[in-house]
Amino acid sequence: MQNLTPKNIKEKTSQGLTFVDFWADWCTPCKVMEPVMEKLAQKYEGQIKFAKVDVEKYQALAEEYNIMNIPAMILFKDGVPKEKVTGYHPAKEMEAYLDSKIEG
C-alpha cells in the first residue's frame, strides 16, 4: 500500500481504480481497518490500487477531499474521486462493495 502526498496523489490515482484510505495514527478505528485494507490490497492486486493518506501530515489533502471523519476511503477512477466510504467495515462488506465497482 503506497503512501500518498500532495505531490503524488494526482499521478498515483490517475489510471484505473485506486482506493485511498485517509487515516491517522491516533485513530483506533483506522488501526482496526488497516488489516482489512491490507487483505483487500492482496485480493485485488492487479485490479485496484490501494494507497493511504496520513491526515495528520497532510491536513490540506483531507480538506481538499472533504474528509470530516476517519477512517474514510475514497474510490478514485482515472484520477476522479467517485465515492467515499467512512468508518470501519469488515472485509466481506468491503469485498462486496469493491466487487460491485469492478463489475459496474
Side-chain angles (χ1 to χ4, degrees), residues 37-55:
M37 292 296 289
E38 288 173 6
K39 180 180 177 183
L40 294 171
Q42 288 178 344
K43 178 174 180 167
Y44 293 98
E45 188 173 351
Q47 295 178 292
I48 302 173
K49 293 177 288 211
F50 287 80
K52 56 188 187 176
V53 173
D54 183 339
V55 298

Side-chain angles (χ1 to χ4, degrees), residues 28-90:
T28 302
C30 297
K31 290 183 181 198
V32 175
M33 194 69 200
E34 189 173 357
V36 172
M37 292 296 289
E38 288 173 6
K39 180 180 177 183
L40 294 171
Q42 288 178 344
K43 178 174 180 167
Y44 293 98
E45 188 173 351
Q47 295 178 292
I48 302 173
K49 293 177 288 211
F50 287 80
K52 56 188 187 176
V53 173
D54 183 339
V55 298
E56 268 310 288
K57 280 186 185 171
Y58 305 113
Q59 291 178 357
L61 268 183
E63 289 174 20
E64 180 179 343
Y65 291 103
N66 205 25
I67 302 299
M68 301 294 178
N69 299 302
I70 55 174
M73 289 71 67
I74 296 181
L75 182 66
F76 287 80
K77 183 172 184 177
D78 298 327
V80 179
K82 293 292 189 179
E83 293 183 356
K84 185 189 306 179
V85 178
T86 56
Y88 170 79
H89 296 275

Side-chain angles (χ1 to χ4, degrees), residues 3-10 12 52-53 57-58 61:
N3 290 308
L4 299 183
T5 69
K7 291 182 180 180
N8 72 5
I9 191 166
K10 299 277 190 233
K12 298 297 182 184
K52 56 188 187 176
V53 173
K57 280 186 185 171
Y58 305 113
L61 268 183

